[in-house]
Amino acid sequence: MSIVVVGSVALDSVETPFGKVENALGGSATYFSVSASFFTKNIKLVAVVGEDFPLEHIEFLNSKGINLEGLQRVKGKTFYWSGRYGASLSGAETLTTELNVFETFSPKVPESYKDTKYVFLANINPELQIEVMRQIKNAELVVCDTMNLWIAQRRDSLMEMIKHIDVLIINDSEARQLTDEQKVDKAAWKILDYGPKRVIVKKGEHGAISVTRSSYFASPAYPLKSMIDPTGAGDTFAGGFMGYLASTGDTSEQNIRKAVVYGTVMASFNVEDFSLNRQRTLIKEDIESRFNEMRMITGF
Ligand code: AMP
């Protein structure tokens, strides 16, 4: 199965207690695509970059087999985000968001993408997510992510989009912000009333829950000895989750539980270094080995 993804392709400057990077490769669609590419070679990207986007990043995405037909390169500057993390590494403080070429971006889904069954609407303005969703008529699984900025500034569009999707992946603080519920479980159940069939809430070091009207699954986080930069953990989680589902074509409850654990494993690797650096050296055996450890951790 292939996956169409729309979201940001970015240059990020990030500071954590362990160091910093400037203008490093980032973006929600980038983290997602590279993570998913470990499971399926059929990732079709829809995004835009500016003239300043380094060619080496394009080559890196190409080397991962990601289809870049829907990646436009236009006049102007690439989306830029900068953020800082405190000692607990929980939650970024956004310092700058420059939409740049995304301000006037109108996504055009290439013909060759249009019969894709799996769609991931990575974090970006929900109006762009809706435009992409409209252009893919026969999708069987639409999964979506968002963030605090859009919940605050584009709530109506976001609520409109959420009505039509299958799975919302969101973190705990965003779930609270979206629902005004302080308890994460209650927030997840409330989100189901907004439309999606399933809600996955990522709770950082406390793992993730996957909730429908008739099921509840909880995965712990992988116990990490070293964490350097949490940026992109959410998108990398989604990449592992959807990449695994696409590689199996099976969306049963049992397989979705495995996909949540693959998402958890992928996110655990990504936070071990800045930008996508850990994913550059990662191999499939590392992923399987950590997945098996997760089986041991949760077995009783
Ligand atoms: P995460 O840490 O998983 O929430 O995602 C981090 C990535 O999201 C960074 O690489 C940023 O470039 C990207 N990002 C930050 N703010 C936005 C935004 N408003 N819209 C789209 N992408 C964003």
Side-chain angles (χ1 to χ4, degrees):
M1 287 276 191
S2 54
I3 308 171
V4 166
V5 51
V6 60
S8 58
V9 172
L11 296 173
D12 290 347
S13 295
V14 176
E15 190 176 341
T16 82
F18 304 100
K20 59 179 181 181
V21 286
E22 267 162 37
N23 291 306
L25 178 60
S28 56
T30 314
Y31 281 106
F32 175 87
S33 302
V34 174
S35 173
S37 76
F38 285 92
F39 299 87
T40 168
K41 286 295 165 211
N42 249 323
I43 315 297
K44 300 167 173 174
L45 181 63
V46 177
V48 62
V49 293
E51 295 154 308
D52 57 345
F53 192 68
L55 214 58
E56 64 185 78
H57 296 335
I58 302 274
E59 282 162 7
F60 171 58
L61 297 175
N62 265 325
S63 77
K64 290 286 167 192
I66 296 159
N67 186 334
L68 302 181
E69 197 188 330
L71 177 68
Q72 299 176 31
R73 196 185 173 96
V74 302
K75 253 194 164 150
K77 285 178 73 182
T78 299
F79 180 100
Y80 175 79
W81 177 77
S82 70
R84 187 166 52 202
Y85 296 83
S88 71
L89 292 177
S90 63
E93 178 196 350
T94 292
L95 302 175
T96 324
T97 303
E98 291 174 12
L99 294 177
N100 296 330
V101 290
F102 267 100
E103 245 164 299
T104 52
F105 178 54
S106 167
K108 294 230 163 18
V109 175
E111 278 307 315
S112 66
Y113 288 18
K114 284 194 175 162
D115 61 351
T116 305
K117 301 286 181 254
Y118 286 14
V119 178
F120 184 63
L121 309 169
N123 175 28
I124 195 70
N125 184 339
E127 282 143 30
L128 298 180
Q129 294 176 314
I130 289 172
E131 269 184 60
V132 168
M133 197 162 58
R134 283 209 181 111
Q135 292 178 51
I136 302 179
K137 297 271 183 286
N138 299 314
E140 286 170 6
L141 180 73
V142 180
V143 182
C144 167
D145 186 13
T146 192
M147 74 180 293
N148 53 5
L149 178 76
W150 308 121
I151 297 171
Q153 293 187 2
R154 293 284 191 283
R155 194 182 181 91
D156 290 350
S157 310
L158 187 65
M159 293 302 277
E160 179 54 33
M161 182 194 56
I162 287 177
K163 269 191 213 163
H164 304 286
I165 62 168
D166 298 293
V167 182
L168 181 69
I169 301 185
I170 194 167
N171 73 31
D172 45 3
S173 65
E174 292 156 359
R176 288 190 187 100
Q177 184 188 358
L178 188 62
T179 59
D180 272 332
E181 286 289 350
Q182 283 314 300
K183 185 130 180 0
V184 172
D185 291 335
K186 274 182 100 176
W189 288 316
K190 196 162 176 181
I191 291 170
L192 291 175
D193 293 337
Y194 301 161
K197 299 181 187 76
R198 179 181 300 274
V199 181
I200 295 177
V201 186
K202 300 160 291 174
K203 305 194 288 180
E205 65 177 317
H206 303 296
I209 55 171
S210 172
V211 182
T212 69
R213 290 200 183 284
S214 58
S215 68
Y216 186 104
F217 172 67
S219 166
Y222 178 80
L224 270 174
K225 296 207 171 65
S226 148
M227 182 164 168
I228 301 292
D229 173 18
T231 308
D235 315 305
T236 307
F237 173 97
F241 173 78
M242 266 197 108
Y244 176 71
L245 290 181
S247 74
T248 55
D250 173 0
T251 53
S252 64
E253 173 66 26
Q254 200 54 32
N255 209 47
I256 283 188
R257 292 178 178 211
K258 283 173 82 175
V260 167
V261 176
Y262 273 112
T264 300
V265 164
M266 292 308 292
S268 77
F269 283 113
N270 195 68
V271 301
E272 289 179 344
D273 204 344
F274 283 99
S275 181
L276 287 98
N277 293 343
R278 182 64 183 94
Q279 294 203 55
R280 289 177 194 266
T281 57
L282 192 62
I283 55 172
K284 197 72 207 247
E285 287 70 29
D286 299 331
I287 298 168
E288 292 307 324
S289 156
R290 220 169 247 195
F291 181 81
N292 289 331
E293 272 188 79
M294 287 292 285
R295 267 195 204 288
M296 301 294 287
I297 289 166
T298 52
F300 60 89

